[in-house]
Amino acid sequence: MEIAALFQQQKKQLAVLIDPDKLSVAQLEVTAKNAQKAGVDFFFVGGSLMTSDMLYHSVKILKEYSNVPVVLFPGNSYQIARNADAILFLSLISGRNPDMLIGMHVLAAPYVKLSGLKTIPTGYMLIDSGKPTSVTYMSNSFPIPNDKNDIAACTAMAGEMLGMKLIYMDAGSGAGQTVPEKMIRFVKDSIETPLIVGGGIRTTEKLQSVMEAGTDIVVVGNRFEEDPNLIFEFAERVKQFNA
Ligand code: 1GP
């Protein structure tokens, strides 16, 4: 199946977020093997700031130890690795920073084209999680207040009308508060586009409740960095939900 079509399935899916700065080669191997065995749907690879120059190598290791599709989730225009399967071509539609809406994209476009990566236009929305996160700081943008469901829904609708193929609501990596279920439901009811939610999801109970609220693709990063064996439990919960 074409990678873009993998995102359009009528079932819940799990994405494991890999921050190449944070995982050693040994940890990457374990994570890749566990994800493969557990039947995880995607790896998302990226971060708001990357200092290690490990992006290409991390993708290589993930692909060596698994068949799970590897999708770049870039924090800026430098995060392009041609050995991945696709790139979320993210526009930060919750913010009003022109660089994050279009500027970085112009810089990245020729390199993305040369890389041959499949691009998946994604409307990226930051949702306030109570305190500043790396991504709000690095993107120089305000997140959507987490009780403003109407703003979130209208932003997602506008993204969809602009042609985005995915909407990604993110509370930010390591967020203390996840995107509220009420907001997820509100947004989900306003769009047809598959909805990705991530940031601060640490338990299978939370995974369950964000799926019940309407999330199509759940992203988990930090919790699996701490314990890659939890991938099995989380993937099992997604499978049970789809059964
Ligand atoms: C952040 O949505 C991701 O961009 C995942 O967040 O690392 O908190 O799981 P966590």
Side-chain angles (χ1 to χ4, degrees), residues 17 22 73 124 168-175 197-202 219-223 225:
L17 176 67
K22 292 208 198 140
F73 172 47
Y124 186 56
Y168 189 152
M169 287 206 284
D170 200 348
S173 197
V197 174
I201 296 168
R202 301 182 55 81
V219 187
V220 179
N222 269 268
R223 194 67 188 107
E225 282 167 13

Side-chain angles (χ1 to χ4, degrees), residues 41-216:
D41 301 282
F42 302 101
F43 283 121
F44 285 179
V45 186
S48 14
L49 176 67
M50 223 180 263
T51 57
S52 65
D53 199 23
M54 278 291 286
L55 180 63
Y56 184 89
H57 199 60
S58 301
V59 173
K60 191 162 174 255
I61 295 168
L62 294 174
K63 296 200 80 68
E64 209 171 306
Y65 291 93
S66 80
N67 298 318
V68 176
V70 179
V71 180
L72 300 176
F73 172 47
N76 57 50
S77 50
Y78 298 104
Q79 295 177 26
I80 302 167
R82 65 178 184 283
N83 55 344
D85 296 296
I87 183 166
L88 297 182
F89 210 64
L90 301 164
S91 184
L92 181 56
I93 58 175
S94 59
R96 297 297 178 267
N97 176 351
D99 272 341
M100 291 290 165
L101 281 162
I102 184 63
M104 294 266 182
H105 313 66
V106 174
L107 295 175
Y111 298 98
V112 172
K113 187 128 191 162
L114 280 172
S115 73
L117 287 164
K118 292 260 182 280
T119 49
I120 307 177
T122 303
Y124 186 56
M125 295 166 49
L126 288 176
I127 310 300
D128 192 23
S129 65
K131 66 176 175 63
T133 59
S134 303
V135 62
T136 51
Y137 180 79
M138 292 303 295
S139 67
N140 194 15
S141 76
F142 287 119
I144 295 176
N146 68 5
D147 58 347
K148 300 295 182 200
N149 298 339
D150 50 353
I151 297 179
C154 294
T155 306
M157 280 160 55
E160 186 174 76
M161 289 168 186
L162 282 165
M164 303 297 178
K165 296 288 183 263
L166 297 170
I167 296 293
Y168 189 152
M169 287 206 284
D170 200 348
S173 197
Q177 289 171 41
T178 59
V179 179
E181 282 79 356
K182 247 186 169 171
M183 180 180 271
I184 296 173
R185 173 49 58 204
F186 210 83
V187 169
K188 179 66 188 168
D189 287 345
S190 312
I191 56 172
E192 308 281 315
T193 313
L195 180 61
I196 307 178
V197 174
I201 296 168
R202 301 182 55 81
T203 63
T204 48
E205 290 72 33
K206 189 42 100 174
L207 169 72
Q208 178 83 23
S209 69
V210 298
M211 288 191 294
E212 276 166 9
T215 305
D216 298 296

